Amino acid sequence: MKVVRVNLGLRSYDIQIGDGVLSSCGELFRDHKVGSRIFLIANTTVWDLYGQPFMECLTKDGFDVVQLLIPDGERFKNIHTVENIYTYLIAQRADRNSTLAALGGGVTGDITGFVAATFLRGIPYIQIPTTLLAQVDSSVGGKTGVNHSLGKNLIGAFYQPNLVCIDTRSLATLPEREFRAGLFEVVKYGLIYDADFFDYFEANLSTILEREVDVLETVISRCCEIKAEVISIDEREENLRQILNFGHTLGHALEVATQYRTFKHGEAVAYGMLAAAHLSHHEGLVDSVALDRIRQTVLGIGPLPSALEISFSQLLDSIKLDKKRRDDETVVVLLKEIGQTLIKSGFEEELLAEVWGRAVADVSQHG
Ligand code: NAD
Ligand code: GLY
């Protein structure tokens, strides 16, 4: 078992990572002084896989657990689902000593965190991420929220969990496409922060794809360490945390343009990272050897749905609504080289359209 600490003063918390963590959660919860009443939020898919045994485990350890089911899918990450949860919590007389526990992927975690941030002006919550993407990214750092029909994650709050429990074993049931979608976020950490980790990822991709438990623990721990380090320096994305959005401006726009139906979040980010890498090269930053390594590694993770039918103009509206825009300019995270970033704005739309085209061509040529 590995423990990564997120250092945020009074809001500090642990990320517990290991094989079989789910079955020892009762003990972990007690060690972390979690209140006795827990509202366990999961979607129907994850509940069928892990809900019952997990709930029984907690009950056996003396917790009073109430089950709360939500529908499965990014399109349900909206204010209506949040309202349904509020209604249920009120009906069940949840109070400020109640704890919400999000069991599932990033959608469940983001919704649960937002409910926790806002219900009774804030109640504790715990993240128990079961997708790779949620384990390496969304469960850590306290970004919570939901989508608006006009844009991704436009409604939300920074609100840190009290604990994150990551069971690497839960990845065994994750569909191949979801696993690969998470790997796009994994490679992001190497690209933006740690060239050695990028080398490791590049060299060990085939073993990682086999989901060997020790390798998964190494990879997930390193991602959590990097994220914890970044968050501890800049919790509210005023400076350093922006680097975590590498590939996300175009990625989010692609998700919105396709109504969250065509691309997994990580797949959309993969397009965004390819475009950002091309832009970095155009700006005289990464050289052609590094650009080629980035393209090969990102494309080597797995097939991406085609974006040939999506023109740049379809992405523009949502790019203009991006939270990260400043003074009406799109802020883009670029790579100086592998492992180092540079944040820049003021790009012409034509140039952004050109690098978007190159990313789309990379994917279609790779087959
Ligand atoms: P998801 O939550 O939709 O999960 C993907 C699918 O996997 C779902 O169908 C889910 O039911 C299923 N699933 C979950 N765990 C499983 C398991 N162990 N076995 C089998 N199936 C399982 O998607 P995601 O990729 O986990 O998260 C994407 C969301 O995370 C997006 O909404 C994105 O905006 C958000 N996100 C948030 C942050 C943040 O910092 N808060 C960071 C990155 C992404
Ligand atoms: N996923 C980006 C962040 O947490 O800041």
Side-chain angles (χ1 to χ4, degrees):
M1 167 106 67
K2 244 197 112 150
V3 184
V4 176
R5 182 89 177 148
V6 182
N7 286 308
L8 285 168
L10 289 175
R11 283 166 290 106
S12 298
Y13 55 96
D14 286 341
I15 308 168
Q16 304 270 351
I17 307 157
D19 180 22
V21 167
L22 267 182
S23 51
S24 57
C25 263
E27 213 174 298
L28 280 177
F29 284 14
R30 257 204 313 275
D31 290 349
H32 287 80
K33 308 211 175 345
V34 175
S36 60
R37 192 144 195 243
I38 295 174
F39 287 84
L40 181 56
I41 304 183
N43 72 30
T44 41
T45 311
V46 174
W47 184 266
D48 288 348
L49 287 165
Y50 300 106
Q52 202 59 40
F54 182 58
M55 186 161 153
E56 279 164 16
C57 217
L58 291 179
T59 310
K60 194 166 54 64
D61 275 314
F63 290 93
D64 168 17
V65 188
V66 182
Q67 167 201 25
L68 218 161
L69 288 183
I70 57 175
D72 186 358
E74 178 78 34
R75 64 187 185 287
F76 299 107
K77 186 177 145 178
N78 58 37
I79 205 71
H80 305 297
T81 304
V82 167
E83 189 172 8
N84 289 338
I85 300 176
Y86 292 148
T87 306
Y88 190 76
L89 292 175
I90 294 165
Q92 292 287 323
R93 308 241 187 286
D95 62 25
R96 282 189 173 150
N97 288 332
S98 307
T99 300
L100 305 186
L103 176 69
V107 169
T108 303
D110 282 11
I111 294 172
T112 303
F114 183 64
V115 172
T118 47
F119 185 70
L120 303 181
R121 299 206 173 91
I123 63 172
Y125 79 109
I126 293 167
Q127 293 273 16
I128 307 147
T130 60
T131 63
L132 180 61
L133 185 135
Q135 297 185 348
V136 299
D137 191 1
S138 62
S139 65
V140 176
K143 273 191 184 175
T144 74
V146 293
N147 303 325
H148 188 279
S149 57
L150 293 177
K152 173 101 178 146
N153 293 337
L154 290 182
I155 299 154
F158 286 99
Y159 192 68
Q160 300 295 339
N162 294 46
L163 177 68
V164 181
C165 301
I166 298 178
D167 191 340
T168 47
R169 200 182 293 174
S170 64
L171 297 182
T173 53
L174 195 64
E176 184 66 17
R177 188 174 165 201
E178 296 292 352
F179 185 74
R180 290 177 193 263
L183 287 180
F184 293 115
E185 293 277 7
V186 171
V187 80
K188 179 189 82 177
Y189 287 104
L191 289 171
I192 61 171
Y193 205 79
D194 184 346
D196 290 344
F197 183 55
F198 180 83
D199 294 348
Y200 173 88
F201 185 91
E202 190 182 38
N204 292 283
L205 182 54
S206 53
T207 325
I208 295 170
L209 284 167
E210 283 162 19
R211 307 189 202 184
E212 206 269 305
V213 174
D214 290 340
V215 177
L216 285 180
E217 192 171 315
T218 304
V219 165
I220 293 166
S221 302
R222 184 62 195 133
C223 295
C224 288
E225 280 166 5
I226 294 173
K227 187 150 185 185
E229 214 167 294
V230 171
I231 302 302
S232 301
I233 295 168
D234 174 28
E235 182 184 5
R236 297 181 70 91
E237 203 171 290
E238 279 149 13
N239 40 70
L240 182 65
R241 188 169 180 166
Q242 291 179 56
I243 67 172
L244 298 176
N245 296 324
F246 177 63
H248 280 57
T249 300
L250 275 176
H252 282 169
L254 184 55
E255 284 183 276
V256 174
T258 49
Q259 288 93 46
Y260 310 106
R261 284 170 196 272
T262 314
F263 298 90
K264 304 284 169 199
H265 174 74
E267 293 171 344
V269 168
Y271 272 96
M273 291 195 296
L274 288 170
H278 279 291
L279 188 56
S280 306
H281 182 57
H282 177 273
E283 294 296 292
L285 299 167
V286 290
D287 61 24
S288 49
V289 175
L291 176 63
D292 217 45
R293 278 182 77 198
I294 297 167
R295 292 160 70 201
Q296 292 312 319
T297 307
V298 170
L299 295 167
I301 289 173
L304 289 164
S306 170
L308 280 170
E309 304 289 308
I310 297 152
S311 69
F312 184 72
S313 59
Q314 285 172 269
L315 307 182
L316 255 184
D317 280 349
S318 107
I319 287 176
K320 288 182 175 165
L321 283 172
D322 192 84
K323 294 185 293 307
K324 298 171 288 295
R325 270 173 88 82
R326 296 285 180 268
D327 302 324
D328 211 28
E329 286 191 341
T330 301
V331 178
V332 183
V333 182
L334 300 175
L335 297 178
K336 272 199 250 179
E337 54 186 273
I338 292 173
Q340 284 189 34
T341 51
L342 176 78
I343 294 173
K344 224 178 147 183
S345 57
F347 293 105
E348 298 291 335
E349 279 170 19
E350 291 70 26
L351 180 55
L352 295 177
E354 189 184 321
V355 295
W356 164 250
R358 287 188 195 177
V360 173
D362 278 348
V363 174
S364 84
Q365 280 157 21
H366 192 263

